[in-house]
Amino acid sequence: MKSIVKDLTHERILNAAESLFALHGYDGATMRQITEKAAVNLSAVNYHFDTKEKLYAETFTRIIRPLNAERLTILTQAELLAGDHPVPLPAILESFIRPTFMLAAGRPQFLALMSRNFSAPPPFMREIMAAEFSAISQRYIRALQHALPGVPPMELFWRMFYTVGALLFTAAHRETMALLSHGAIQSPDTESIIRRLVDYASAAMCAPRREPAMS
Amino acid sequence: MKSIVKDLTHERILNAAESLFALHGYDGATMRQITEKAAVNLSAVNYHFDTKEKLYAETFTRIIRPLNAERLTILTQAELLAGDHPVPLPAILESFIRPTFMLAAGRPQFLALMSRNFSAPPPFMREIMAAEFSAISQRYIRALQHALPGVPPMELFWRMFYTVGALLFTAAHRETMALLSHGAIQSPDTESIIRRLVDYASAAMCAPRREPAMS
DNA sequence: GTCTATATCATGATAGAC
DNA sequence: GTCTATCATGATATAGAC
């Protein structure tokens, strides 16, 4: 069928784009590189995606939508399991963190693209990002409020933001860590990474608020 | 004197480059934009910095060297003050975090350039980054080991890395936060930001290591 | 739907007058 | 040291044959 052929080219381009945008960023990756890697014609990008900007947007939403959907699925399961009780804090955080590494399995540039797009999103992505994350951020804040009623909501918001920063930064820097640690750290297994991040964030989320220090 | 004139042009270019690299990244900022903003001739970049890559490297080292120097100064003061005792954990973290925001005062793109360069450094920056951070990372790990003898050094290394991620991510996203929080969060004052981050990281650094869960 | 060929423009860098 | 003018290259996007 024709649609199958179309879908193949479409996907080949998206796969190549994912890897090259992750490696070189929006401005750094050229359509020539992408179409060469995808082994399709240069014009295929414009035919299937119209512009480079739209190609980038689709490349990113293709990874972020299933990720956020999976997060909400696991969080909802945990809420059903907890019944009237709040979901335990580590379970909330793990529902956010674990899917990141699960969906990244076998896609070496998945995490790099995520991190890059959050830390330095091309300007045309601002609206798209806000749309993709508006719902999920509210869901998580509510779950956190139930789990930690003693912490002010605004504080929870900040801390969740810090946690996302820690997650993305680490995700994109496994090699850097090996470098700075002089070989003490080599890319550990996924379960260790998840456990470490959940432990870190769980402790951090319920930090006491320090009183302003005297001089 | 001629050297004064040279230094003026030199600095005008660096200032313009700092702001434009922060906003658009290495590939996104063009030499024409930079020289236009600096109100100097296009060729001045090549004359003073040879290539665009060297201009970027100088732009970044100009902000990172005083920053890391200030961090070490404050940490050393704290160590002298502590004598034979370990420096308290919050003091260690604050010596790392505070200079970031102090040196950023009055330079709106300082933090954005920092964040961007760490999350998506141009490939030619890898060596330079490693050189600039090798010494300071070892100094901080040692201080953390003294303050938290019960936490394995490798765990400390990871957690410090998470903390840097939280710091940089937040630094570059004050506007994003205001957006996602639906106006609940508006750029707070520097002291609040520092306190919040230090509280968060202090609790996280001494997190207990959770036992692997049973199924 | 896919290709070749090309239009149009912006890029980094350089040559050479002053 | 600073300018103008320009080069060679590579960018995105499009027109039109097949």
Side-chain angles (χ1 to χ4, degrees):
Chain A
M1 310 279 182
K2 282 189 176 181
S3 62
I4 292 178
V5 174
K6 176 201 169 189
D7 287 344
L8 266 182
T9 300
H10 193 89
E11 293 238 333
R12 293 173 67 84
I13 293 172
L14 281 175
N15 290 337
E18 179 175 315
S19 142
L20 286 166
F21 282 140
L23 252 127
H24 306 120
Y26 175 75
D27 292 300
T30 70
M31 287 171 61
R32 280 178 168 81
Q33 288 177 303
I34 292 167
T35 51
E36 195 168 338
K37 176 155 191 157
V40 302
N41 188 271
L42 175 62
S43 309
V45 169
N46 298 103
Y47 178 78
H48 286 281
F49 301 93
D50 196 16
T51 65
K52 187 188 182 187
E53 290 193 355
K54 288 179 185 164
L55 168 61
Y56 183 91
E58 272 217 43
T59 303
F60 186 70
T61 55
R62 188 179 71 146
I63 74 175
I64 204 66
R65 286 216 178 116
L67 175 56
N68 280 345
E70 180 71 3
R71 283 168 172 163
L72 287 185
T73 300
I74 299 180
L75 180 60
T76 303
Q77 283 177 347
E79 283 171 340
L80 290 175
L81 197 72
D84 286 342
H85 297 81
V87 180
L89 178 61
I92 298 175
L93 294 170
E94 188 160 333
S95 80
F96 190 85
I97 292 168
R98 177 175 290 280
T100 316
F101 293 97
M102 292 293 124
L103 271 72
R107 291 164 88 179
Q109 309 302 348
F110 181 98
L111 295 173
L113 179 57
M114 283 263 301
S115 170
R116 202 183 265 273
N117 188 72
F118 275 88
S119 303
F124 61 87
M125 287 296 291
R126 299 230 156 197
E127 294 173 44
I128 294 169
M129 301 278 289
E132 295 293 333
F133 276 88
S134 173
I136 198 169
S137 75
Q138 287 185 273
R139 275 280 257 122
Y140 270 91
I141 291 300
R142 194 179 321 169
L144 289 170
Q145 283 177 346
H146 285 132
L148 297 171
V151 183
M154 189 186 290
E155 209 74 22
L156 288 177
F157 201 95
W158 279 94
R159 291 176 184 180
M160 192 61 198
F161 213 75
Y162 297 156
T163 303
V164 174
L167 167 65
L168 290 177
F169 190 69
T170 313
H173 278 275
R174 294 203 208 179
E175 338 75 61
T176 307
M177 294 209 52
L179 226 160
L180 279 179
S181 70
H182 297 86
I185 293 180
Q186 300 118 315
S187 59
D189 64 295
T190 303
E191 288 303 321
S192 299
I193 293 177
I194 294 172
R195 182 192 52 69
R196 235 187 284 262
L197 257 169
V198 172
D199 287 354
Y200 175 91
S202 296
M205 290 300 297
C206 46
R209 181 172 165 159
R210 192 182 33 153
E211 291 304 312
M214 302 288 159
S215 66
Chain B
M1 312 279 181
K2 282 191 176 180
S3 62
I4 292 178
V5 174
K6 176 200 169 188
D7 286 346
L8 267 183
T9 299
H10 194 89
E11 292 238 334
R12 293 173 67 85
I13 293 173
L14 280 175
N15 291 336
E18 179 175 315
S19 143
L20 286 166
F21 282 140
L23 248 116
H24 305 120
Y26 175 74
D27 292 301
T30 70
M31 287 171 58
R32 280 176 169 81
Q33 287 177 303
I34 292 168
T35 51
E36 196 168 338
K37 175 155 192 157
V40 303
N41 188 271
L42 174 62
S43 309
V45 169
N46 298 102
Y47 178 78
H48 285 281
F49 301 93
D50 195 17
T51 65
K52 188 188 182 188
E53 290 193 356
K54 288 179 185 165
L55 167 61
Y56 183 91
E58 271 219 42
T59 303
F60 186 70
T61 55
R62 188 180 70 146
I63 74 174
I64 205 66
R65 287 215 178 117
L67 175 56
N68 280 345
E70 179 71 2
R71 283 168 173 163
L72 288 185
T73 300
I74 300 181
L75 180 60
T76 303
Q77 283 177 345
E79 283 170 341
L80 290 175
L81 196 72
D84 287 341
H85 297 81
V87 180
L89 178 61
I92 298 175
L93 293 170
E94 188 159 334
S95 80
F96 189 86
I97 292 167
R98 177 176 290 280
T100 316
F101 294 97
M102 291 294 125
L103 271 73
R107 292 164 88 179
Q109 309 302 349
F110 181 97
L111 295 173
L113 179 57
M114 283 262 302
S115 170
R116 201 183 267 272
N117 188 73
F118 275 89
S119 303
F124 61 88
M125 287 297 291
R126 300 230 156 198
E127 294 175 43
I128 295 169
M129 300 278 288
E132 295 294 333
F133 276 88
S134 172
I136 198 169
S137 74
Q138 287 184 273
R139 273 282 257 122
Y140 270 91
I141 291 300
R142 194 180 319 172
L144 289 170
Q145 283 176 348
H146 285 132
L148 296 170
V151 183
M154 189 186 291
E155 209 74 22
L156 287 177
F157 200 94
W158 279 94
R159 291 177 184 178
M160 192 62 197
F161 212 75
Y162 296 157
T163 302
V164 174
L167 167 65
L168 289 177
F169 190 70
T170 312
H173 277 274
R174 294 202 209 178
E175 337 76 60
T176 307
M177 295 208 52
L179 226 160
L180 279 179
S181 71
H182 298 86
I185 295 181
Q186 299 117 317
S187 59
D189 65 293
T190 302
E191 289 302 323
S192 300
I193 292 178
I194 294 172
R195 181 192 51 70
R196 235 188 285 264
L197 257 170
V198 171
D199 287 355
Y200 175 91
S202 296
M205 289 300 297
C206 46
R209 180 173 166 158
R210 191 182 34 152
E211 291 304 312
M214 302 288 161
S215 67

